[in-house]
Amino acid sequence: MSTDKSNEIAAPGSHAPPSRALVVGDGAFAMAMATSLARRGDTSVRILCHTTQVRDEINAGENKTYLPGYQVHSNITAYTNITEACDPDIQLVLLVIPTQFLRKFLVANLASLPVGCPIVVCAKGIEIGTAETPYEMMISELPGKYHKHFAVLAGPSFAKEIMDGEPTNVVVASQNSIVAKEVAQYVSDGSSLRAYVSDDVHGIEIAGAVKNVLAIASGALDGLNFGNNARAALVCRGLAELTRLAVATGSNGRSMAGLAGGGGFILTCS
């Protein structure tokens, strides 16, 4: 394994994929992660949808609402009832829900989520009103028996490029190093998607939330007809400011040089 200034460690290759995985969410990124898992061959992926319309579209073979033009993998089945979607054999849960709706889902389903398997939040942002990150919301709302299994996944990862099998790196962070490594090995497909491991949960979440502010500023540069010099200055000085913010709120700051920080900035500001 190799290390760098981002403190991200490459997962030691993929291992046997989970036999069953649950993806909560039916948007483009949820579909991309579900497809990546399903392509491993032996993984049955269950998607928990918000509406019956999207559920029926997925089960008919194409998520026309959120990811048109891509055929749904045969290992994927969609549900709207969490009791039907969950069973004792679920080995991995990905929460791909918009941040502002995550707490409502957790409160409504805290007795239904499987116990003993990694629960990975893929949402980015900060909750309005509480200023909590998605990981912090899970700590706040789910019982203690779940806490040691929490992780967060982030990094530069456009859904369509994952669907197309283009090379993609993500980072998995957890306060439990064993869980972080397990999740990274699960989602690394041995082909195009590779996950790295970090212990800087807060830094990765702050980077994921704030990078979109810089993306808006980058769009403003286009509107002002500024060139690449201005964009480079924005990214570099924005990254420096973000690092100060992350450190001030509890991060070690190293993730700003990694996939969630620098990687996310390059993707969203390009």
Side-chain angles (χ1 to χ4, degrees), residues 211-222 226-242 265 268-270:
K211 69 177 177 60
N212 289 330
V213 176
L214 285 182
I216 294 171
S218 180
L221 295 182
D222 290 335
F226 290 161
N228 292 326
N229 290 351
R231 193 179 314 280
L234 171 72
V235 171
C236 290
R237 297 318 307 163
L239 190 58
E241 185 172 335
L242 174 59
F265 279 17
T268 56
C269 293
S270 297

Side-chain angles (χ1 to χ4, degrees), residues 69 73 81-82 113 132 143 153 204 210 238:
H73 195 281
N81 186 306
I82 191 170
L113 291 170
E132 285 192 343
L153 183 149
I204 284 172
V210 178

